[in-house]
Amino acid sequence: MKKLALHWQILLGMALGVVFALLLSNFAWGSDFISDWIKPFGTIFINALKLIAVPLILASLIKGISDLKDISQLSKMGFRTISIYIMTTIIAVSIGLLTVNIVKPGNTISEDTRTELVESYGGDADLTRQNAQKQKDAGPLQALIDLVPDNIIGAAGKNSNMLQVIFFAIFFGVCLILIPEKTAQPVKDFFDGFNEVILKMIDIIMLAAPYGVFALLAALVVEAPSADLFAALGMYALCVVGGLFIMIIIYTLIVWIFTKKSPSFFINGISPAQLLAFSTSSSAATLPVTMERVEEHLGVEKEVTSFVLPIGATINMDGTSLYQAVAAVFIAQAFGMELSIATQLGIIATATLASIGSAAVPGAGMVMLVIVLAQAGIPEAGLALIFAIDRPLDMCRTTVNVTGDASVSMLVAKSVNKLRDKPLVKNWDDNYKK
């Protein structure tokens, strides 16, 4: 295993996890064995990554901003970052709408299958609607209120409050720029060292990645709904996956055109983060690995990665936005509804805005989808139609989210002359090599 590249190790772990689960599923005790003795190791792996997400954001973002020396550099980088993220999100939603209108997967859902899905997942749909209703009832400026924490310790205690942690880190970093350099230097030195420790923790945790994804995939297989339901939703799934694949091609071409880096360079550099995103379905859990791969293997300098990637993990949800567009139209088709051009343009706007507030954790896109459905006048009960296959698609769209974050960081780095010609790769045991 040690002789294989990390992404091949992860792929092997995923494949063995699926095969292992399929074999044990033939025994009456197989599913319980995987749930009780295999799945916990996958949970531990995800928890280890989540453990360092908040410290990484605090350390890297504060360091990255304070190293800029000038607030004007921050505003220029911030404007470019957010502008590119919004543009890629609009492209993603448009591709989703185009794909679902051409394929029309809703026509493949039979009345019997629809009834069975509603009965099986109606309770989950009700809970999701309740969560979305809370967000809708909160008021138009609630997002701004939620941006500013009243207690940074409390905000840092939950990975779902990433925007509040980012706000504090940016505020802290800007203030470090504004105070005398002699006073700020000890604080900057502390965060420099703190950041290096967190990055070393990432290297060590990633040694367990093949085993973690083995456990995650094995658990997913034994907990999946029946094959009949997946077959009924196959066209919908292909529609989403096809759109997501197109987005990855677009990212690769954009990187190639604007940074002159080859597609193979980009994919090889980011592939371990993509595979981890696929396994965990969480941009937040994958963020430490994304930052390490983009900085060390794609050549983006730390002051760009520490600013662009944490923000991207929170507001850049291209894969989620594309999925919301496909899912909304699919549900409408399943209910026999025809959506006008104006309604579908509204879906583009709503999905783009909803993606900004979507938490970087598994399943968060489902809550935001309710808002998209409500805006388009589509029955929210239709959520039950897609619950059965949401988890595998969540894995795919998270992969696209992470790929989008990496590509945008390269574009921003190129625009501010912070993209190295040759990456500087570090190994977990560098200090022990002679």
mmCIF file of all heavy atoms in Angstrom, residues 58-71 74 168-192:
data_model
loop_
_atom_site.group_PDB
_atom_site.id
_atom_site.type_symbol
_atom_site.label_atom_id
_atom_site.label_comp_id
_atom_site.label_asym_id
_atom_site.label_seq_id
_atom_site.Cartn_x
_atom_site.Cartn_y
_atom_site.Cartn_z
ATOM 1 N N LEU A 58 -9.173 28.940 11.426
ATOM 2 C CA LEU A 58 -8.692 30.052 12.248
ATOM 3 C C LEU A 58 -7.219 30.344 11.969
ATOM 4 O O LEU A 58 -6.845 31.491 11.697
ATOM 5 C CB LEU A 58 -8.886 29.723 13.728
ATOM 6 C CG LEU A 58 -10.281 29.929 14.316
ATOM 7 C CD1 LEU A 58 -10.344 29.381 15.735
ATOM 8 C CD2 LEU A 58 -10.650 31.407 14.303
ATOM 9 N N ALA A 59 -6.386 29.303 12.018
ATOM 10 C CA ALA A 59 -4.951 29.503 11.859
ATOM 11 C C ALA A 59 -4.592 29.968 10.454
ATOM 12 O O ALA A 59 -3.865 30.951 10.272
ATOM 13 C CB ALA A 59 -4.207 28.208 12.198
ATOM 14 N N SER A 60 -5.106 29.271 9.437
ATOM 15 C CA SER A 60 -4.700 29.574 8.067
ATOM 16 C C SER A 60 -5.277 30.896 7.574
ATOM 17 O O SER A 60 -4.605 31.651 6.869
ATOM 18 C CB SER A 60 -5.119 28.436 7.136
ATOM 19 O OG SER A 60 -6.519 28.286 7.108
ATOM 20 N N LEU A 61 -6.526 31.195 7.937
ATOM 21 C CA LEU A 61 -7.144 32.433 7.455
ATOM 22 C C LEU A 61 -6.521 33.651 8.124
ATOM 23 O O LEU A 61 -6.238 34.665 7.471
ATOM 24 C CB LEU A 61 -8.655 32.385 7.713
ATOM 25 C CG LEU A 61 -9.538 33.329 6.894
ATOM 26 C CD1 LEU A 61 -9.243 33.189 5.415
ATOM 27 C CD2 LEU A 61 -11.010 33.037 7.153
ATOM 28 N N ILE A 62 -6.285 33.558 9.436
ATOM 29 C CA ILE A 62 -5.642 34.676 10.142
ATOM 30 C C ILE A 62 -4.234 34.900 9.593
ATOM 31 O O ILE A 62 -3.822 36.037 9.323
ATOM 32 C CB ILE A 62 -5.599 34.408 11.659
ATOM 33 C CG1 ILE A 62 -7.013 34.510 12.247
ATOM 34 C CG2 ILE A 62 -4.663 35.399 12.363
ATOM 35 C CD1 ILE A 62 -7.104 34.077 13.690
ATOM 36 N N LYS A 63 -3.496 33.814 9.395
ATOM 37 C CA LYS A 63 -2.143 33.935 8.842
ATOM 38 C C LYS A 63 -2.170 34.501 7.425
ATOM 39 O O LYS A 63 -1.401 35.399 7.080
ATOM 40 C CB LYS A 63 -1.454 32.571 8.842
ATOM 41 C CG LYS A 63 -0.127 32.575 8.095
ATOM 42 C CD LYS A 63 0.571 31.254 8.146
ATOM 43 C CE LYS A 63 1.737 31.214 7.157
ATOM 44 N NZ LYS A 63 2.609 32.373 7.231
ATOM 45 N N GLY A 64 -3.065 33.970 6.594
ATOM 46 C CA GLY A 64 -3.132 34.408 5.203
ATOM 47 C C GLY A 64 -3.460 35.875 5.067
ATOM 48 O O GLY A 64 -2.857 36.603 4.266
ATOM 49 N N ILE A 65 -4.423 36.358 5.859
ATOM 50 C CA ILE A 65 -4.821 37.765 5.775
ATOM 51 C C ILE A 65 -3.739 38.680 6.341
ATOM 52 O O ILE A 65 -3.400 39.706 5.750
ATOM 53 C CB ILE A 65 -6.157 37.981 6.513
ATOM 54 C CG1 ILE A 65 -7.281 37.278 5.754
ATOM 55 C CG2 ILE A 65 -6.471 39.469 6.659
ATOM 56 C CD1 ILE A 65 -8.604 37.284 6.472
ATOM 57 N N SER A 66 -3.166 38.294 7.473
ATOM 58 C CA SER A 66 -2.140 39.155 8.083
ATOM 59 C C SER A 66 -0.890 39.240 7.217
ATOM 60 O O SER A 66 -0.162 40.235 7.262
ATOM 61 C CB SER A 66 -1.776 38.636 9.480
ATOM 62 O OG SER A 66 -1.239 37.332 9.410
ATOM 63 N N ASP A 67 -0.622 38.218 6.404
ATOM 64 C CA ASP A 67 0.538 38.236 5.513
ATOM 65 C C ASP A 67 0.343 39.146 4.309
ATOM 66 O O ASP A 67 1.310 39.425 3.584
ATOM 67 C CB ASP A 67 0.861 36.819 5.028
ATOM 68 C CG ASP A 67 1.523 35.973 6.097
ATOM 69 O OD1 ASP A 67 1.979 36.546 7.098
ATOM 70 O OD2 ASP A 67 1.570 34.731 5.933
ATOM 71 N N LEU A 68 -0.883 39.597 4.061
ATOM 72 C CA LEU A 68 -1.138 40.442 2.890
ATOM 73 C C LEU A 68 -0.529 41.826 3.030
ATOM 74 O O LEU A 68 -0.301 42.512 2.033
ATOM 75 C CB LEU A 68 -2.656 40.568 2.655
ATOM 76 C CG LEU A 68 -3.376 39.287 2.206
ATOM 77 C CD1 LEU A 68 -4.872 39.531 2.100
ATOM 78 C CD2 LEU A 68 -2.831 38.825 0.852
ATOM 79 N N LYS A 69 -0.317 42.242 4.268
ATOM 80 C CA LYS A 69 0.331 43.529 4.555
ATOM 81 C C LYS A 69 -0.583 44.735 4.277
ATOM 82 O O LYS A 69 -0.419 45.800 4.841
ATOM 83 C CB LYS A 69 1.631 43.710 3.740
ATOM 84 C CG LYS A 69 2.619 42.574 3.845
ATOM 85 C CD LYS A 69 3.243 42.487 5.213
ATOM 86 C CE LYS A 69 4.320 41.411 5.249
ATOM 87 N NZ LYS A 69 4.897 41.258 6.601
ATOM 88 N N ASP A 70 -1.538 44.566 3.381
ATOM 89 C CA ASP A 70 -2.321 45.709 2.903
ATOM 90 C C ASP A 70 -3.779 45.281 2.743
ATOM 91 O O ASP A 70 -4.064 44.256 2.120
ATOM 92 C CB ASP A 70 -1.762 46.185 1.563
ATOM 93 C CG ASP A 70 -2.404 47.489 1.092
ATOM 94 O OD1 ASP A 70 -3.399 47.905 1.711
ATOM 95 O OD2 ASP A 70 -1.896 48.061 0.119
ATOM 96 N N ILE A 71 -4.709 46.060 3.311
ATOM 97 C CA ILE A 71 -6.138 45.733 3.226
ATOM 98 C C ILE A 71 -6.621 45.781 1.781
ATOM 99 O O ILE A 71 -7.541 45.045 1.402
ATOM 100 C CB ILE A 71 -6.963 46.693 4.117
ATOM 101 C CG1 ILE A 71 -6.630 46.435 5.591
ATOM 102 C CG2 ILE A 71 -8.455 46.494 3.899
ATOM 103 C CD1 ILE A 71 -7.380 47.298 6.558
ATOM 104 N N LEU A 74 -6.545 42.474 0.250
ATOM 105 C CA LEU A 74 -7.637 41.621 0.723
ATOM 106 C C LEU A 74 -8.919 41.905 -0.038
ATOM 107 O O LEU A 74 -9.617 40.978 -0.471
ATOM 108 C CB LEU A 74 -7.846 41.849 2.225
ATOM 109 C CG LEU A 74 -9.034 41.118 2.860
ATOM 110 C CD1 LEU A 74 -8.842 39.611 2.755
ATOM 111 C CD2 LEU A 74 -9.201 41.541 4.321
ATOM 112 N N PHE A 168 -14.915 35.863 12.134
ATOM 113 C CA PHE A 168 -13.998 36.205 13.223
ATOM 114 C C PHE A 168 -12.547 36.187 12.746
ATOM 115 O O PHE A 168 -11.767 37.090 13.070
ATOM 116 C CB PHE A 168 -14.177 35.231 14.388
ATOM 117 C CG PHE A 168 -13.203 35.437 15.508
ATOM 118 C CD1 PHE A 168 -13.425 36.411 16.473
ATOM 119 C CD2 PHE A 168 -12.042 34.683 15.591
ATOM 120 C CE1 PHE A 168 -12.520 36.620 17.505
ATOM 121 C CE2 PHE A 168 -11.129 34.878 16.611
ATOM 122 C CZ PHE A 168 -11.368 35.852 17.572
ATOM 123 N N ALA A 169 -12.192 35.166 11.950
ATOM 124 C CA ALA A 169 -10.811 35.050 11.481
ATOM 125 C C ALA A 169 -10.432 36.225 10.577
ATOM 126 O O ALA A 169 -9.327 36.775 10.681
ATOM 127 C CB ALA A 169 -10.616 33.722 10.743
ATOM 128 N N ILE A 170 -11.352 36.623 9.688
ATOM 129 C CA ILE A 170 -11.081 37.772 8.804
ATOM 130 C C ILE A 170 -10.951 39.041 9.623
ATOM 131 O O ILE A 170 -10.032 39.853 9.419
ATOM 132 C CB ILE A 170 -12.202 37.909 7.753
ATOM 133 C CG1 ILE A 170 -12.153 36.727 6.768
ATOM 134 C CG2 ILE A 170 -12.066 39.233 6.994
ATOM 135 C CD1 ILE A 170 -13.295 36.722 5.773
ATOM 136 N N PHE A 171 -11.866 39.230 10.572
ATOM 137 C CA PHE A 171 -11.844 40.415 11.443
ATOM 138 C C PHE A 171 -10.526 40.470 12.221
ATOM 139 O O PHE A 171 -9.861 41.510 12.305
ATOM 140 C CB PHE A 171 -13.037 40.353 12.397
ATOM 141 C CG PHE A 171 -13.299 41.628 13.155
ATOM 142 C CD1 PHE A 171 -12.830 42.851 12.701
ATOM 143 C CD2 PHE A 171 -14.035 41.599 14.330
ATOM 144 C CE1 PHE A 171 -13.074 44.027 13.397
ATOM 145 C CE2 PHE A 171 -14.284 42.760 15.041
ATOM 146 C CZ PHE A 171 -13.799 43.982 14.578
ATOM 147 N N PHE A 172 -10.129 39.328 12.774
ATOM 148 C CA PHE A 172 -8.892 39.230 13.548
ATOM 149 C C PHE A 172 -7.679 39.523 12.662
ATOM 150 O O PHE A 172 -6.776 40.279 13.041
ATOM 151 C CB PHE A 172 -8.785 37.825 14.144
ATOM 152 C CG PHE A 172 -7.741 37.674 15.217
ATOM 153 C CD1 PHE A 172 -8.088 37.677 16.556
ATOM 154 C CD2 PHE A 172 -6.398 37.506 14.887
ATOM 155 C CE1 PHE A 172 -7.120 37.532 17.545
ATOM 156 C CE2 PHE A 172 -5.428 37.358 15.866
ATOM 157 C CZ PHE A 172 -5.797 37.371 17.203
ATOM 158 N N GLY A 173 -7.664 38.933 11.457
ATOM 159 C CA GLY A 173 -6.543 39.138 10.547
ATOM 160 C C GLY A 173 -6.419 40.574 10.087
ATOM 161 O O GLY A 173 -5.300 41.113 9.991
ATOM 162 N N VAL A 174 -7.550 41.220 9.798
ATOM 163 C CA VAL A 174 -7.525 42.632 9.389
ATOM 164 C C VAL A 174 -6.970 43.498 10.511
ATOM 165 O O VAL A 174 -6.158 44.413 10.281
ATOM 166 C CB VAL A 174 -8.942 43.092 8.985
ATOM 167 C CG1 VAL A 174 -8.991 44.611 8.837
ATOM 168 C CG2 VAL A 174 -9.372 42.421 7.688
ATOM 169 N N CYS A 175 -7.387 43.218 11.742
ATOM 170 C CA CYS A 175 -6.893 44.011 12.871
ATOM 171 C C CYS A 175 -5.395 43.795 13.093
ATOM 172 O O CYS A 175 -4.694 44.713 13.540
ATOM 173 C CB CYS A 175 -7.670 43.661 14.133
ATOM 174 S SG CYS A 175 -9.391 44.231 14.094
ATOM 175 N N LEU A 176 -4.905 42.592 12.778
ATOM 176 C CA LEU A 176 -3.466 42.355 12.873
ATOM 177 C C LEU A 176 -2.695 43.234 11.889
ATOM 178 O O LEU A 176 -1.578 43.686 12.167
ATOM 179 C CB LEU A 176 -3.154 40.886 12.584
ATOM 180 C CG LEU A 176 -3.084 39.916 13.766
ATOM 181 C CD1 LEU A 176 -2.734 38.517 13.288
ATOM 182 C CD2 LEU A 176 -2.076 40.379 14.805
ATOM 183 N N ILE A 177 -3.290 43.490 10.724
ATOM 184 C CA ILE A 177 -2.657 44.371 9.737
ATOM 185 C C ILE A 177 -2.610 45.803 10.243
ATOM 186 O O ILE A 177 -1.646 46.539 10.005
ATOM 187 C CB ILE A 177 -3.413 44.310 8.394
ATOM 188 C CG1 ILE A 177 -3.346 42.898 7.810
ATOM 189 C CG2 ILE A 177 -2.845 45.313 7.391
ATOM 190 C CD1 ILE A 177 -4.162 42.717 6.542
ATOM 191 N N LEU A 178 -3.655 46.194 10.984
ATOM 192 C CA LEU A 178 -3.809 47.601 11.378
ATOM 193 C C LEU A 178 -2.977 47.998 12.592
ATOM 194 O O LEU A 178 -2.741 49.184 12.808
ATOM 195 C CB LEU A 178 -5.292 47.899 11.655
ATOM 196 C CG LEU A 178 -6.238 47.766 10.444
ATOM 197 C CD1 LEU A 178 -7.685 47.993 10.859
ATOM 198 C CD2 LEU A 178 -5.848 48.759 9.346
ATOM 199 N N ILE A 179 -2.547 47.024 13.411
ATOM 200 C CA ILE A 179 -1.740 47.387 14.577
ATOM 201 C C ILE A 179 -0.256 47.409 14.183
ATOM 202 O O ILE A 179 0.125 46.875 13.136
ATOM 203 C CB ILE A 179 -1.969 46.398 15.751
ATOM 204 C CG1 ILE A 179 -1.480 44.994 15.386
ATOM 205 C CG2 ILE A 179 -3.436 46.376 16.138
ATOM 206 C CD1 ILE A 179 -1.594 43.999 16.542
ATOM 207 N N PRO A 180 0.619 48.039 14.996
ATOM 208 C CA PRO A 180 2.046 48.106 14.656
ATOM 209 C C PRO A 180 2.633 46.715 14.435
ATOM 210 O O PRO A 180 2.301 45.753 15.139
ATOM 211 C CB PRO A 180 2.660 48.788 15.883
ATOM 212 C CG PRO A 180 1.544 49.589 16.474
ATOM 213 C CD PRO A 180 0.300 48.792 16.218
ATOM 214 N N GLU A 181 3.520 46.607 13.457
ATOM 215 C CA GLU A 181 4.071 45.310 13.080
ATOM 216 C C GLU A 181 4.824 44.652 14.230
ATOM 217 O O GLU A 181 4.779 43.425 14.398
ATOM 218 C CB GLU A 181 5.001 45.476 11.877
ATOM 219 C CG GLU A 181 5.514 44.155 11.318
ATOM 220 C CD GLU A 181 6.284 44.320 10.035
ATOM 221 O OE1 GLU A 181 6.282 45.444 9.469
ATOM 222 O OE2 GLU A 181 6.895 43.332 9.586
ATOM 223 N N LYS A 182 5.520 45.460 15.045
ATOM 224 C CA LYS A 182 6.273 44.913 16.170
ATOM 225 C C LYS A 182 5.349 44.221 17.165
ATOM 226 O O LYS A 182 5.673 43.169 17.724
ATOM 227 C CB LYS A 182 7.056 46.025 16.854
ATOM 228 C CG LYS A 182 7.942 45.544 17.987
ATOM 229 C CD LYS A 182 8.724 46.699 18.601
ATOM 230 C CE LYS A 182 9.600 46.208 19.749
ATOM 231 N NZ LYS A 182 10.371 47.316 20.370
ATOM 232 N N THR A 183 4.165 44.809 17.374
ATOM 233 C CA THR A 183 3.191 44.228 18.299
ATOM 234 C C THR A 183 2.529 42.995 17.705
ATOM 235 O O THR A 183 2.244 42.021 18.407
ATOM 236 C CB THR A 183 2.101 45.275 18.644
ATOM 237 O OG1 THR A 183 2.723 46.472 19.109
ATOM 238 C CG2 THR A 183 1.149 44.748 19.696
ATOM 239 N N ALA A 184 2.282 43.025 16.379
ATOM 240 C CA ALA A 184 1.564 41.941 15.721
ATOM 241 C C ALA A 184 2.437 40.709 15.491
ATOM 242 O O ALA A 184 1.915 39.591 15.408
ATOM 243 C CB ALA A 184 1.017 42.424 14.385
ATOM 244 N N GLN A 185 3.759 40.893 15.416
ATOM 245 C CA GLN A 185 4.638 39.795 15.009
ATOM 246 C C GLN A 185 4.554 38.561 15.911
ATOM 247 O O GLN A 185 4.488 37.437 15.407
ATOM 248 C CB GLN A 185 6.084 40.287 14.927
ATOM 249 C CG GLN A 185 7.013 39.319 14.202
ATOM 250 C CD GLN A 185 6.546 39.040 12.772
ATOM 251 O OE1 GLN A 185 6.237 39.955 12.026
ATOM 252 N NE2 GLN A 185 6.495 37.761 12.410
ATOM 253 N N PRO A 186 4.556 38.722 17.263
ATOM 254 C CA PRO A 186 4.446 37.515 18.099
ATOM 255 C C PRO A 186 3.151 36.737 17.853
ATOM 256 O O PRO A 186 3.157 35.494 17.887
ATOM 257 C CB PRO A 186 4.484 38.077 19.529
ATOM 258 C CG PRO A 186 5.180 39.389 19.399
ATOM 259 C CD PRO A 186 4.766 39.938 18.075
ATOM 260 N N VAL A 187 2.070 37.448 17.613
ATOM 261 C CA VAL A 187 0.794 36.784 17.340
ATOM 262 C C VAL A 187 0.872 36.038 16.008
ATOM 263 O O VAL A 187 0.419 34.894 15.886
ATOM 264 C CB VAL A 187 -0.359 37.810 17.315
ATOM 265 C CG1 VAL A 187 -1.694 37.107 17.053
ATOM 266 C CG2 VAL A 187 -0.421 38.581 18.628
ATOM 267 N N LYS A 188 1.452 36.679 15.001
ATOM 268 C CA LYS A 188 1.598 36.033 13.687
ATOM 269 C C LYS A 188 2.500 34.803 13.785
ATOM 270 O O LYS A 188 2.237 33.771 13.158
ATOM 271 C CB LYS A 188 2.159 37.031 12.676
ATOM 272 C CG LYS A 188 1.202 38.161 12.331
ATOM 273 C CD LYS A 188 1.853 39.233 11.473
ATOM 274 C CE LYS A 188 2.252 38.714 10.117
ATOM 275 N NZ LYS A 188 2.801 39.787 9.263
ATOM 276 N N ASP A 189 3.574 34.911 14.579
ATOM 277 C CA ASP A 189 4.470 33.765 14.751
ATOM 278 C C ASP A 189 3.731 32.587 15.388
ATOM 279 O O ASP A 189 3.937 31.421 15.008
ATOM 280 C CB ASP A 189 5.674 34.152 15.610
ATOM 281 C CG ASP A 189 6.617 35.101 14.889
ATOM 282 O OD1 ASP A 189 6.543 35.170 13.640
ATOM 283 O OD2 ASP A 189 7.419 35.777 15.566
ATOM 284 N N PHE A 190 2.862 32.896 16.357
ATOM 285 C CA PHE A 190 2.081 31.838 17.005
ATOM 286 C C PHE A 190 1.198 31.121 15.986
ATOM 287 O O PHE A 190 1.172 29.884 15.932
ATOM 288 C CB PHE A 190 1.219 32.419 18.129
ATOM 289 C CG PHE A 190 0.168 31.460 18.622
ATOM 290 C CD1 PHE A 190 0.505 30.429 19.486
ATOM 291 C CD2 PHE A 190 -1.149 31.584 18.204
ATOM 292 C CE1 PHE A 190 -0.467 29.533 19.941
ATOM 293 C CE2 PHE A 190 -2.123 30.693 18.643
ATOM 294 C CZ PHE A 190 -1.785 29.666 19.520
ATOM 295 N N PHE A 191 0.478 31.884 15.156
ATOM 296 C CA PHE A 191 -0.432 31.271 14.187
ATOM 297 C C PHE A 191 0.331 30.563 13.065
ATOM 298 O O PHE A 191 -0.169 29.592 12.493
ATOM 299 C CB PHE A 191 -1.401 32.317 13.626
ATOM 300 C CG PHE A 191 -2.556 32.601 14.548
ATOM 301 C CD1 PHE A 191 -2.608 33.779 15.272
ATOM 302 C CD2 PHE A 191 -3.576 31.679 14.713
ATOM 303 C CE1 PHE A 191 -3.657 34.031 16.143
ATOM 304 C CE2 PHE A 191 -4.632 31.923 15.571
ATOM 305 C CZ PHE A 191 -4.670 33.103 16.291
ATOM 306 N N ASP A 192 1.551 31.045 12.756
ATOM 307 C CA ASP A 192 2.388 30.325 11.792
ATOM 308 C C ASP A 192 2.702 28.925 12.311
ATOM 309 O O ASP A 192 2.549 27.923 11.592
ATOM 310 C CB ASP A 192 3.700 31.088 11.553
ATOM 311 C CG ASP A 192 3.514 32.304 10.665
ATOM 312 O OD1 ASP A 192 2.421 32.453 10.104
ATOM 313 O OD2 ASP A 192 4.466 33.101 10.546
#
